[in-house]
Amino acid sequence: MKKGSFIYQYLFNPRTVGAVRPSSGFLSNKMVEGIKYKDTKYIVEYGPGTGVFTEKILERRNKETLVVVIESNQAFYQVLKKKFNNVRNLIIIFGSAEHIEQYLKEYNIPYVDYIISGLPFASLPQNVSKEILSNTLKVLKTGGEFVTFQYTKVKIPFLRNYFPNITVNREFRNIPPAYILHCKL
């Protein structure tokens, strides 16, 4: 079993790796299909894992759009660095989404149009989830969108404390099936 595999990372880091395998192409497509790529300047991805959502974003984005991915798992960070080596307008950060404001300041990014999240809010400590979502609200532009997925609906009431307008879709072809949450202010 490789250190960079989802199953290995899930077994040894179950609080921060929420699945035993990467998301399916079906889920990946649904996560990024609502992005208005033509007019988008900045996209951030929280918890990209091995980069399945990142690939979809990079395929569809306007080439001038800056994409920032933030990964807290060292093994996945190394996978991302190798996989996306020399990709233009992509910043890969080893760190926590809690510090999104700091990262944006470092790179002179004034706001974010979309935040795509693969974070397992159901298993993250409550205080970490609160910090991430509070800081997300500070950097997301007016009219911006936070898109995440979860395997259950248990965290939707918690997310509504930050985003009163949440549209829920389902992707049954993912293993396990997932809820896609499009969150707006």
Side-chain angles (χ1 to χ4, degrees):
M1 191 174 351
K2 290 183 179 179
K3 274 190 168 185
S5 73
F6 256 83
I7 188 83
Y8 181 94
Q9 292 302 317
Y10 178 78
L11 290 172
F12 291 95
N13 302 293
R15 303 258 312 159
T16 58
V17 178
V20 296
R21 58 186 294 161
S23 299
S24 69
F26 300 111
L27 178 58
S28 299
N29 285 329
K30 279 196 176 173
M31 286 289 291
V32 303
E33 71 186 1
I35 296 174
K36 295 177 177 84
Y37 291 97
K38 184 178 171 228
D39 304 319
T40 297
K41 292 188 182 220
Y42 306 104
I43 300 171
V44 170
E45 183 180 0
Y46 294 161
T50 58
V52 293
F53 298 163
T54 312
E55 286 175 0
K56 298 291 183 183
I57 292 166
L58 293 173
E59 284 171 11
R60 299 172 186 195
R61 73 170 171 167
N62 172 335
K63 295 301 177 205
E64 299 308 310
T65 299
L66 181 63
V67 178
V68 178
V69 297
I70 304 167
E71 179 56 61
S72 65
N73 179 290
Q74 180 69 41
F76 289 158
Y77 171 75
Q78 293 302 326
V79 168
L80 294 168
K81 290 294 277 185
K82 185 175 180 182
K83 186 176 194 176
F84 299 113
N85 185 29
N86 298 321
V87 172
R88 188 173 174 272
N89 287 332
L90 173 67
I91 299 168
I92 302 170
I93 297 172
F94 176 63
S96 172
E98 293 170 272
H99 307 296
I100 182 63
E101 282 185 293
Q102 173 191 326
Y103 304 139
L104 296 185
K105 283 179 188 167
E106 281 178 34
Y107 290 98
N108 296 313
I109 300 169
Y111 62 87
V112 179
D113 296 286
Y114 292 90
I115 297 177
I116 307 301
S117 174
L119 298 178
F121 286 104
S123 62
L124 286 177
Q126 184 91 347
N127 63 321
V128 172
S129 295
K130 286 180 179 180
E131 189 74 15
I132 290 168
L133 292 169
S134 293
N135 291 331
T136 293
L137 292 177
K138 292 176 187 175
V139 302
L140 203 57
K141 80 172 191 177
T142 302
E145 191 170 338
F146 176 74
V147 182
T148 189
F149 77 94
Q150 301 292 292
Y151 296 119
T152 72
K153 289 183 172 182
V154 72
K155 284 294 182 175
I156 293 176
F158 172 73
L159 289 166
R160 283 198 204 283
N161 292 321
Y162 299 88
F163 296 97
N165 182 5
I166 299 177
T167 304
V168 181
N169 294 307
R170 191 89 193 260
E171 180 49 68
F172 290 99
R173 295 168 293 184
N174 194 65
I175 299 173
Y179 294 96
I180 298 101
L181 311 173
H182 293 267
C183 308
K184 296 181 182 179
L185 296 173

